[in-house]
Amino acid sequence: MKIRDVLATGRRTISFEFFAPKTDQGVESLFRAIRRLSSHRPDFVSVTYGAGGSTRNETVDLVSRIKAEVGLETMAHVTCVAQTREDVHDVLERLEELGVDNVLALRGDPPRGQGVFVPVEGGFRYASEVITHIRRNFDFGVGAACFPELHPESVDAASDMVHLREKVDAGADYLITQLFFDNRDFFDFMDRARGVGIRVPVLAGILPVLATAQIRRFASLCGASIPPALDRELEKYVDDDDGARELGIEYAARQVEELWRAGVDGIHFYTINRSHSVSRVLEAAGLPGTAG
Ligand SMILES: Cc1cc2nc3c(=O)[nH]c(=O)nc-3n(C[C@H](O)[C@H](O)[C@H](O)COP(=O)(O)OP(=O)(O)OC[C@H]3O[C@@H](n4cnc5c(N)ncnc54)[C@H](O)[C@@H]3O)c2cc1C
């Protein structure tokens, strides 16, 4: 089923994002987490595409396995880093053959150490080009990324919106945000997006903090800011991951509660392949679909 068809009914979605583990043991523990989280009846789950397309085979295998073995709707992330148009086309063909209905079309980040993104010769330059290619050649439901605090390479808010609008005009059915910790950033982003005529649903990306050092690293890598008050609290748990995790659960639950009350189209959890915090956030926020 296409995620856009679920959203078109007016249903507000809950979804979980996972990454492709590198070991068999990691895959086993991922499936345990997915099965536990499936009790929350998510509308879909997604699997990321490792940096530079490094996990493309694993991503394809996992989305089809999750669909077949756990019975959840899936979405495959696809990026165009270090791949030709033909490479990306082949991955899309395999996803289609395996009966995957949804794709998150992304450009991807430049490999570490290479400051700017450089497409391979003849490769896609922007996510909007991948979306156009998908629309011309495939019948997937298509999502795209958006950035409440602007994409780190964006020159300014206006050009960020121009390029986001290009992705929607190319055929993105819905958008999923980068993680953010201040709901005002999300609400301001929504005002800007609606202001330039972007009407598609926007799912808010939420990451429950698991550890202080880890979240500081993640946030700086993806250009998300940690509000000073949260950072001061996190500082208390620099050497106490359990404490940081409890803080993360409480903080994310408050974020989700406020977003849900404000009528957000959906919440997309960055799970880091863990189930405990996300389950607790859903229960604390009292969201529909929670198993209780
Ligand atoms: C929900 C979500 C999931 C993600 N999953 C993954 C994943 O699985 N694997 C992974 O590697 N990365 C992932 N990322 C990270 C993402 O790939 C990076 O943030 C990347 O830098 C931007 O990807 P994009 O699709 O938004 O790119 P684009 O939309 O192409 O934008 C990239 C930059 O180019 C600018 N731009 C766009 N079009 C033009 C144009 N025509 N002219 C000039 N400038 C332009 C944009 O403003 C932006 O600054 C994810 C991000 C999000 C929010």
Side-chain angles (χ1 to χ4, degrees):
M1 183 173 208
K2 296 196 175 71
I3 295 159
R4 67 159 175 254
D5 295 335
V6 176
L7 289 162
T9 66
R11 185 177 165 81
R12 301 158 72 193
T13 57
I14 301 291
S15 50
F16 304 135
E17 177 174 313
F18 304 101
F19 65 87
K22 291 198 169 72
T23 62
D24 291 347
Q25 210 182 1
V27 172
E28 266 174 46
S29 115
L30 169 64
F31 270 87
R32 276 198 300 277
I34 295 174
R35 284 184 203 283
R36 277 199 291 270
L37 284 171
S38 70
S39 66
H40 294 286
R41 299 195 292 277
D43 295 282
F44 68 96
V45 303
S46 76
V47 180
T48 62
Y49 208 71
S54 55
T55 67
R56 74 184 86 156
N57 293 330
E58 290 82 354
T59 301
V60 171
D61 288 350
L62 281 172
V63 282
S64 72
R65 269 190 69 190
I66 295 168
K67 197 167 175 170
E69 294 174 26
V70 192
L72 293 174
E73 193 48 70
T74 55
M75 174 180 79
H77 298 210
V78 175
T79 74
C80 41
V81 181
Q83 294 160 99
T84 62
R85 282 170 189 252
E86 290 70 29
D87 292 335
V88 175
H89 186 91
D90 288 349
V91 169
L92 292 164
E93 254 180 3
R94 282 178 51 214
L95 289 166
E96 188 176 56
E97 279 159 21
L98 289 165
V100 175
D101 290 327
N102 303 288
V103 166
L104 187 68
L106 299 151
R107 185 199 71 178
D109 281 323
R112 224 167 259 175
Q114 181 191 306
V116 286
F117 174 86
V118 182
V120 299
E121 200 171 328
F124 295 111
R125 291 170 306 164
Y126 302 112
S128 55
E129 296 180 349
V130 186
I131 297 168
T132 300
H133 183 84
I134 293 174
R135 282 278 175 253
R136 287 202 186 126
N137 298 282
F138 297 93
D139 182 33
F140 292 114
V142 183
C146 62
F147 299 82
E149 298 178 76
L150 310 192
H151 183 265
E153 292 163 38
S154 286
V155 183
D156 54 32
S159 67
D160 192 75
M161 275 301 141
V162 167
H163 298 312
L164 185 59
R165 176 74 204 254
E166 281 164 6
K167 294 200 275 197
V168 174
D169 290 345
D173 300 314
Y174 54 93
L175 302 170
I176 305 184
T177 77
Q178 183 58 279
L179 61 95
F180 60 92
F181 293 104
D182 186 339
N183 285 351
R184 275 175 310 180
D185 288 328
F186 177 82
F187 297 132
D188 290 350
F189 164 82
M190 289 303 291
D191 287 345
R192 291 197 300 279
R194 298 310 184 215
V196 298
I198 292 174
R199 299 269 170 259
V200 295
V202 179
L203 315 184
I206 297 292
L207 170 67
V209 169
L210 290 176
T212 298
Q214 179 197 45
I215 196 56
R216 285 178 174 158
R217 195 175 63 248
F218 274 16
S220 90
L221 279 174
C222 70
S225 54
I226 302 178
L230 173 59
D231 202 51
R232 278 195 299 276
E233 285 300 301
L234 284 167
E235 184 61 32
K236 295 180 189 161
Y237 302 108
V238 166
D239 298 316
D240 173 7
D241 289 354
D242 290 346
R245 191 174 69 166
E246 286 304 308
L247 170 66
I249 291 167
E250 194 202 317
Y251 193 90
R254 268 189 276 129
Q255 259 196 293
V256 167
E257 226 174 342
E258 185 185 40
L259 291 164
W260 201 261
R261 253 201 326 271
V264 70
D265 297 309
I267 304 281
H268 183 74
F269 284 98
Y270 295 103
T271 70
I272 321 187
N273 291 6
R274 308 283 188 84
S275 61
H276 177 83
S277 288
V278 171
S279 273
R280 296 260 315 273
V281 170
L282 283 166
E283 282 153 18
L287 284 198
T290 51

